[in-house]
Amino acid sequence: SVHVLSPGYVNARLEKETPIFNKQRIDFAPPEKINSLVVSSNQLCMSLGKDTLLRIDLGKPDEPNQVELGRKDDAKVYKMFLDHTGSHLLIALNTSECLYLNRSVQKVRALSRWKGHLIESVGWNKFLGSETNTGPILVGTAQGQIYEAEISVSEGSLFSTNPDQYFRQVYTVEEESGPAPVCCLEIERGIEGKFFIIATTRKRLFQFVGKVPEGTEQQGFSSIFALHADHLPSFREFPASFGFSEIAFYTPKLRSNPRSFAWMMGNGVLYGTLDYSRPDSILSDERVWVYPSDIDITVNKPISIVLTQFHFLLLLPDRVKAVCTLNGQVVFQDLFLEKFGLLTRMIKDPTVQQIWIHTEKVVFRYHVQRESRDVWKMYMNMNKFDLAKEYCKDRPECLDIVLAKEAEHCFQNKRYLDSAKCYALTQNYFEEIALKFIEAKQEEALMEFLIKKLSNLKPSEKTQATLLTTWLTELYLNWLGILEGDPSQRNLYLDTREKFRTFLSSPKNKDCLFNNRASIYELLASHGDTEHMVYFAVIMQDYERVVAHHCQHDEYDEALNVLSRHRDEKLFYKFSPVLIQHIPKKVVDAWISMGSRLDARNLIPALVNYSQSASTQQINEAIRYMEFCVYQLEETQQAIHNYLLSLYALCRPDSLLSYLEQAGTNPNRIHYDLKYALRLCAEHGHHHACVHIYKVMELYEEAVDLALQVDVDLAKSCADLPEDDEELRKKLWLKIARHVVQEEKDVKKAMACLSSCALLKIEDVLPFFPDFVTIDHFKEAICNSLEDYNKHIEELKREMEEATQSAKRIREDIQEMRNKYGSVEPQEKCAACDFPLLNRPFYLFLCGHMFHYDCLLQAVFPNLPAYKQAKLEDLQKKLAATSQPSKSHHRPKDTDNISLGKGQQSREQIKADIDDIVAAECVYCGELMIRSIDKPFIDPQKYEEEMQSWL
């Protein structure tokens, strides 16, 4: 069946859910009646008839072990006790004797020291006990005495020794009438070495508390009982009794302390939790479940009790009742058929959480399955919502019911904020809950509900997120508007404002707010909340809106702070024209701090508009930024340099000239426009700067002409610049001389020009002087000029004599070379082809190498430059043409002689030209061999062919 619990969940359950306590009859037919049954750690021990003991390892149920007690008297098994490890079995007989059987042996041993005591209970030592040794344990008798004992099994001993190490009395428990049977014993260890011992009689529950020093646990518990020798320990007492009592404990995990208890006695069941931090009593949250009317302690009194996590089970003669410890309600009752006989005992194996029940004929077992399945509902009905949620974590449909109930409970108790938080986690209809808070006029709770609901939305639920964020913004703005006008609510206003800002800046809401920012801006504007409009714009990184807002309200410093903080280049370009009109120095400082991130070309319009209407001081700010760009950032953009030039020309002439000089004279490395700079300087009358620009442009005549208007020395420095063009230099110096003579009429200065430039002579300068001038001023210059001419003539004579001597030596060397010869032996061979040399025309070099003409030609030709190769081919063609016989046999003899003479002369000349090319040097000893040093031995194009030839 399918039940719709809430809009968000569907609960699908099986038709028949497995019960919590699932009974199973064990397939076992005992040969004799069952007297007693104990089970622990999956080890089951059963007493059958008079003398038989059956042991079963429940992990191997098909391999039972039978042991005979070996008693020949009428003794019967009174009770059996099995320790927590399932190793030590104590068998109390009705003859006040006690037997012992270890799991590892087959023989039952009598405990001689125990004789004479009817054993009612045993308190096992869970801390020191092992499979071979029980450690110190406590034993309760029917006479009210508590004994301390220890049982040990000697492994591999040749001689049989008594297993009981000692057996000494430590205490006697009493009721009003005197000593009473010790029905149950339990030993537990708390914190800091503190031990708690619980002992029960028919009406009383005693607690013995004391510390056992660390390292002395093996000495037993007598020290704890000694503390209560003079006074009774703390105890609980109830008036009624049905002759015995039984206490059960629940331990959640193996080897941990019990967490709860249930004591079955005459008036009912005392149950609660165990708190080991308490000083005197570990019993806590005690409650009494009174027996209902169907339980009569005189007729069908309870027999046994076991405790689970949330229930205790009572064994009656014909049935089992399960009572929930949370609400005291009977939640389960199982009636047994009469054919099975009366129920005898119920025990629980604490290690596997299984419950065993037996009659004299039959054994049953209960499995506890998902005991906590309905616990959440009980806690919910008790209004313990935290515990209810704890037990339905993995069941969302149940968790939703608990949350809805908790939300409704909080709403009814006017805890509206808590109610809103719970409602936000449920799947109840959103509209119903929202209307509920609106009708109750709980706007703060409604906001809390919307915030929680928003935080629980999935990323895909964008529409719902948009709705909630817009609604919350409206609610926040309304609430802030109300609080702002009330001075007494100042603290609440500040707290709400902080919450609103947290909401706006939440990373989870960022995308939704960004996509819906237009609506949010409209809401903020409609409420006139400019403060939060700016705050929201900053969060959305809508800095343009923030800066524009500050500028509109004349908050220029704030606007610049926003720009400087977020360093957005585009915003600097957009708002700089406005800001520089009001705070120029700060704006320039901000530009400089941005460094190369700003493109100065985009800021020039702002500077131009600013500087046109500004004072010199304001222009200085523009110059400061331009200088930063040029000198610090090393900008090379022409527009930046041109603008800086214009500012210098307008306001700082001195800086103009130093800037131009620093830029250098290499046009390729100058970043300003030379023509623009020239025109600018000319307009403002900066002649020095114009002269410098003319020099850079290599317009030296214009530079000298302009320099002569300013300073003759400046003109002289210009005149010396064209170092490679003497004619131009002379022309420039003549201009300077003409200016000095004609304009300044200074003969001495004119003569100084002659000494400054070696190219000028006195005869070049004389035409500039007037006709009537005394020669005294030129006497020295004329004498110097004549001396120079004499020196020059003498120099020419010396050079002519040296040339004559050189020609004479050359002619002698040529004559000597003509008469030089070398001898060649008949057996000499060509250095190239290794064939006899004298067979063909050959060359003999001074180094001793000899080559055939064709071999030398073949070696030299590939290494000649292209023009020499062409010339050599042309000479060879001409030589071939002259060697052909003449076809004109009818010519006169004289004519033939003349022609032959000319042909022979031409042929000899061709051969000489060929020799000059081919035999200029030895191919092995000359430069040709040096130049070919980096050439491979094998031509790369013929490498493959050569390699194949070697294979």
Side-chain angles (χ1 to χ4, degrees):
S1 61
V2 177
H3 309 282
V4 178
L5 297 178
S6 62
Y9 298 108
V10 175
N11 184 22
R13 299 204 174 183
L14 299 175
E15 291 294 336
K16 287 187 178 181
E17 192 171 31
T18 307
I20 294 174
F21 303 101
N22 188 23
K23 183 173 71 175
Q24 175 191 7
R25 179 181 174 182
I26 303 301
D27 186 14
F28 171 69
E32 299 179 76
K33 69 176 184 178
I34 303 171
N35 299 321
S36 182
L37 184 146
V38 288
V39 61
S40 180
S41 293
N42 240 10
Q43 302 296 317
L44 184 144
C45 297
M46 190 184 303
S47 170
L48 301 175
K50 177 185 174 185
D51 200 47
T52 304
L53 194 66
L54 190 66
R55 295 188 296 183
I56 301 173
D57 184 348
L58 296 175
K60 304 173 185 177
D62 298 333
E63 302 175 12
N65 175 250
Q66 186 170 316
V67 179
E68 300 298 327
L69 297 182
R71 302 288 297 191
K72 297 184 180 178
D73 53 9
D74 294 332
K76 295 181 181 178
V77 174
Y78 176 64
K79 283 186 178 182
M80 294 197 305
F81 308 94
L82 187 62
D83 80 314
H84 62 286
T85 67
S87 302
H88 306 282
L89 177 66
L90 292 173
I91 306 159
L93 304 179
N94 60 356
T95 57
S96 299
E97 294 178 82
C98 192
L99 307 178
Y100 171 75
L101 180 64
N102 190 275
R103 184 167 67 180
S104 61
V105 299
Q106 284 289 105
K107 186 177 179 181
V108 177
R109 304 286 298 278
L111 302 177
S112 58
R113 292 185 175 90
W114 297 39
K115 192 171 183 178
H117 302 283
L118 183 63
I119 306 303
E120 287 285 350
S121 57
V122 175
W124 297 103
N125 194 323
K126 293 178 282 189
F127 317 105
L128 296 178
S130 65
E131 292 184 0
T132 59
N133 188 289
T134 61
I137 61 174
L138 296 177
V139 180
T141 68
Q143 292 77 32
Q145 296 142 347
I146 298 177
Y147 286 86
E148 186 178 72
E150 184 175 357
I151 301 172
S152 179
V153 179
S154 300
E155 297 183 2
S157 176
L158 296 175
F159 303 98
S160 177
T161 56
N162 290 330
D164 48 337
Q165 302 296 307
Y166 59 87
F167 190 77
R168 55 175 176 260
Q169 184 178 351
V170 291
Y171 199 78
T172 300
V173 293
E174 298 182 353
E175 292 182 351
E176 295 171 350
S177 57
V182 183
C183 299
C184 296
L185 281 169
E186 181 75 16
I187 305 170
E188 295 299 337
R189 182 168 59 185
I191 56 176
E192 298 179 353
K194 186 182 287 188
F195 279 83
F196 297 88
I197 298 172
I198 296 175
T200 65
T201 62
R202 292 166 296 192
K203 296 181 179 181
R204 291 183 176 180
L205 186 152
F206 293 91
Q207 294 183 74
F208 300 89
V209 183
K211 283 189 176 183
V212 175
E214 187 176 354
T216 64
E217 292 89 346
Q218 195 64 42
Q219 298 177 11
F221 308 102
S222 56
S223 61
I224 297 176
F225 289 102
L227 297 173
H228 304 280
D230 300 329
H231 63 278
L232 283 175
S234 66
F235 63 88
R236 302 284 188 276
E237 183 175 20
F238 289 87
S241 167
F242 47 61
F244 64 93
S245 70
E246 186 172 347
I247 190 167
F249 296 91
Y250 168 70
T251 304
K253 294 179 182 178
L254 193 63
R255 296 186 183 87
S256 64
N257 290 332
R259 291 288 179 266
S260 56
F261 76 96
W263 179 39
M264 181 187 73
M265 39 75 185
N267 290 84
V269 177
L270 174 70
Y271 64 97
T273 59
L274 300 177
D275 185 357
Y276 295 93
S277 63
R278 300 179 65 181
D280 299 322
S281 172
I282 59 173
L283 307 184
S284 179
D285 299 330
E286 299 172 48
R287 285 166 287 175
V288 177
W289 183 77
V290 181
Y291 296 128
S293 58
D294 62 339
I295 297 179
D296 186 352
I297 62 172
T298 59
V299 181
N300 62 339
K301 59 186 176 184
I303 302 167
S304 292
I305 185 171
V306 298
L307 181 64
T308 63
Q309 186 177 4
F310 297 106
H311 302 85
F312 61 80
L313 279 72
L314 283 177
L315 181 70
L316 302 170
D318 62 344
R319 72 193 65 192
V320 172
K321 282 180 180 286
V323 180
C324 179
T325 56
L326 299 179
N327 55 16
Q329 300 295 316
V330 177
V331 296
F332 172 77
Q333 183 167 281
D334 194 3
L335 189 65
F336 287 76
L337 299 176
E338 290 184 9
K339 67 177 183 179
F340 299 136
L342 294 177
L343 302 177
T344 307
R345 184 152 173 75
M346 175 173 61
I347 54 173
K348 185 180 77 166
D349 186 347
T351 58
V352 292
Q353 304 295 328
Q354 292 179 349
I355 300 169
W356 297 78
I357 297 176
H358 74 92
T359 67
E360 291 184 348
K361 301 186 241 179
V362 187
V363 178
F364 297 94
R365 178 171 58 190
Y366 280 100
H367 289 276
V368 183
Q369 297 180 330
R370 294 178 56 239
E371 185 183 3
S372 62
R373 67 181 73 168
D374 295 324
V375 168
W376 66 271
K377 193 181 298 180
M378 298 174 192
Y379 278 131
M380 181 182 72
N381 293 332
M382 295 163 64
N383 293 335
K384 294 183 177 180
F385 299 109
D386 290 339
L387 289 170
K389 287 183 280 189
E390 187 70 26
Y391 284 99
C392 55
K393 276 182 178 178
D394 54 344
R395 299 170 68 184
E397 73 281 0
C398 302
L399 181 61
D400 193 67
I401 295 172
V402 174
L403 288 168
K405 182 75 180 289
E406 182 181 8
E408 186 63 31
H409 176 77
C410 293
F411 193 91
Q412 290 174 358
N413 287 277
K414 297 186 178 181
R415 291 162 47 205
Y416 296 110
L417 285 176
D418 293 335
S419 175
K421 292 175 183 177
C422 293
Y423 269 130
L425 298 173
T426 68
Q427 298 295 319
N428 289 20
Y429 289 113
F430 173 82
E431 298 84 350
E432 291 180 1
I433 300 168
L435 286 171
K436 199 169 186 175
F437 286 115
I438 292 172
E439 289 171 0
K441 297 181 179 179
Q442 295 298 319
E443 195 167 280
E444 188 177 0
L446 175 61
M447 289 168 63
E448 185 67 29
F449 169 67
L450 297 178
I451 290 170
K452 293 292 182 184
K453 204 71 179 174
L454 178 62
S455 65
N456 293 329
L457 288 178
K458 299 175 183 176
S460 58
E461 297 174 317
K462 295 182 179 178
T463 305
Q464 294 90 328
T466 302
L467 169 67
L468 291 175
T469 51
T470 308
W471 194 358
L472 276 167
T473 303
E474 176 70 25
L475 289 173
Y476 268 121
L477 291 172
N478 287 338
W479 189 238
L480 287 170
I482 294 170
L483 294 175
E484 191 175 15
D486 188 352
S488 63
Q489 301 286 340
R490 179 64 180 171
N491 291 333
L492 181 59
Y493 167 77
L494 294 175
D495 185 52
T496 306
R497 186 182 70 175
E498 188 60 32
K499 287 182 180 178
F500 181 42
R501 292 186 173 185
T502 303
F503 164 73
L504 291 177
S505 59
S506 170
K508 190 170 183 181
N509 303 333
K510 186 176 181 180
D511 290 340
C512 181
L513 289 168
F514 182 80
N515 295 330
N516 195 37
R517 61 188 183 280
S519 300
I520 304 297
Y521 281 131
E522 289 177 7
L523 279 174
L524 292 166
S526 66
H527 284 266
D529 195 342
T530 56
E531 179 185 2
H532 283 108
M533 182 182 290
V534 172
Y535 182 82
F536 180 67
V538 171
I539 292 171
M540 293 294 103
Q541 296 184 355
D542 190 359
Y543 302 120
E544 182 175 348
R545 185 184 292 267
V546 177
V547 176
H549 170 81
H550 287 311
C551 290
Q552 289 170 3
H553 292 80
D554 297 337
E555 298 169 351
Y556 302 110
D557 287 332
E558 287 296 324
L560 184 60
N561 287 338
V562 174
L563 289 177
S564 301
R565 191 162 53 247
H566 300 289
R567 305 174 74 84
D568 188 331
E569 300 88 346
K570 293 180 180 178
L571 294 182
F572 265 104
Y573 300 146
K574 182 171 183 178
F575 291 100
S576 287
V578 176
L579 295 176
I580 201 167
Q581 299 291 336
H582 300 89
I583 47 174
K585 185 179 185 305
K586 293 181 179 179
V587 171
V588 170
D589 289 339
W591 289 352
I592 291 173
S593 68
M594 286 289 287
S596 59
R597 293 183 62 177
L598 290 179
D599 187 346
R601 291 177 300 174
N602 295 329
L603 297 173
I604 289 176
L607 290 170
V608 169
N609 292 334
Y610 168 67
S611 59
Q612 284 178 347
S613 58
S615 65
T616 303
Q617 182 181 0
Q618 292 168 326
I619 291 176
N620 287 338
E621 292 300 327
I623 291 175
R624 182 162 70 96
Y625 181 64
M626 288 292 105
E627 286 179 338
F628 169 76
C629 293
V630 170
Y631 297 123
Q632 301 296 323
L633 300 182
E634 298 181 354
E635 284 283 357
T636 58
Q637 296 292 333
Q638 193 177 75
I640 296 171
H641 286 262
N642 286 348
Y643 184 56
L644 180 58
L645 266 174
S646 67
L647 294 173
Y648 279 153
L650 180 66
C651 197
R652 291 191 193 172
D654 296 338
S655 298
L656 171 64
L657 188 57
S658 62
Y659 165 77
L660 292 174
E661 290 174 349
Q662 189 173 347
T665 58
N666 186 345
N668 297 323
R669 295 186 180 179
I670 287 176
H671 304 301
Y672 58 85
D673 186 338
L674 288 166
K675 295 180 180 178
Y676 171 76
L678 183 61
R679 184 174 69 253
L680 195 67
C681 295
E683 287 176 358
H684 291 85
H686 302 310
H687 297 305
H688 276 84
C690 289
V691 170
H692 179 83
I693 296 170
Y694 277 135
K695 289 194 293 185
V696 175
M697 298 172 72
E698 297 183 356
L699 299 175
Y700 302 116
E701 291 190 47
E702 290 82 351
V704 170
D705 290 341
L706 185 58
L708 288 173
Q709 299 177 21
V710 180
D711 184 11
V712 173
D713 291 334
L714 180 61
K716 289 179 180 179
S717 65
C718 297
D720 280 333
L721 290 175
E723 297 176 354
D724 299 332
D725 191 346
E726 291 188 354
E727 184 178 350
L728 178 58
R729 282 172 60 201
K730 185 175 181 179
K731 183 178 180 181
L732 297 176
W733 277 103
L734 285 173
K735 281 179 176 284
I736 296 171
R738 181 191 294 272
H739 175 81
V740 171
V741 173
Q742 295 181 350
E743 299 296 330
E744 298 186 5
K745 296 182 173 53
D746 190 339
V747 177
K748 291 183 178 180
K749 192 179 287 188
M751 292 300 100
C753 288
L754 290 177
S755 60
S756 300
C757 178
L759 298 176
L760 289 184
K761 305 296 180 183
I762 186 63
E763 58 268 28
D764 298 322
V765 181
L766 284 175
F768 303 145
F769 289 96
D771 294 338
F772 303 100
V773 64
T774 58
I775 198 169
D776 293 341
H777 296 291
F778 311 115
K779 181 177 180 180
E780 185 178 350
I782 293 171
C783 291
N784 290 336
S785 179
L786 292 174
E787 287 178 2
D788 288 341
Y789 280 125
N790 286 332
K791 289 179 182 178
H792 185 60
I793 291 169
E794 290 296 328
E795 186 70 26
L796 289 175
K797 284 180 179 180
R798 189 171 61 255
E799 289 177 0
M800 289 173 65
E801 288 177 358
E802 289 176 356
T804 302
Q805 293 295 327
S806 295
K808 182 178 179 181
R809 284 195 297 270
I810 290 170
R811 282 195 295 272
E812 291 174 354
D813 290 342
I814 290 171
Q815 188 62 36
E816 185 180 351
M817 286 297 295
R818 285 177 179 173
N819 296 329
K820 198 169 186 179
Y821 66 94
S823 59
V824 178
E825 299 295 331
Q827 65 273 19
E828 294 287 352
K829 295 182 179 181
C830 174
C833 66
D834 207 29
F835 280 94
L837 185 68
L838 299 178
N839 290 350
R840 299 197 300 274
F842 64 89
Y843 289 98
L844 172 62
F845 291 95
L846 293 176
C847 61
H849 287 117
M850 293 169 275
F851 299 92
H852 289 131
Y853 166 76
D854 53 344
C855 293
L856 184 62
L857 180 64
Q858 187 178 0
V860 171
F861 186 82
N863 297 291
L864 291 174
Y867 75 93
K868 283 194 176 183
Q869 288 181 354
K871 183 177 180 182
L872 183 58
E873 289 176 351
D874 184 50
L875 289 171
Q876 286 178 326
K877 289 178 182 178
K878 289 180 179 179
L879 183 63
T882 57
S883 63
Q884 292 178 357
S886 178
K887 296 181 181 179
S888 303
H889 299 290
H890 62 279
R891 284 183 182 173
K893 187 175 181 181
D894 293 341
T895 305
D896 289 345
N897 290 337
I898 294 169
S899 298
L900 183 62
K902 290 181 179 179
Q904 284 291 81
Q905 185 180 4
S906 176
R907 181 179 175 83
E908 291 299 326
Q909 184 61 43
I910 291 171
K911 282 185 176 183
D913 291 342
I914 290 174
D915 288 345
D916 288 342
I917 295 173
V918 175
E921 60 181 359
C922 175
V923 72
Y924 285 174
C925 302
E927 290 185 5
L928 181 62
M929 182 58 67
I930 296 172
R931 288 199 302 271
S932 65
I933 194 169
D934 59 343
K935 291 186 178 179
F937 291 113
I938 300 173
D939 188 348
Q941 297 178 353
K942 298 180 180 180
Y943 182 79
E944 288 292 331
E945 180 183 349
E946 185 69 23
M947 189 174 68
Q948 292 296 329
S949 68
W950 280 73
L951 297 177

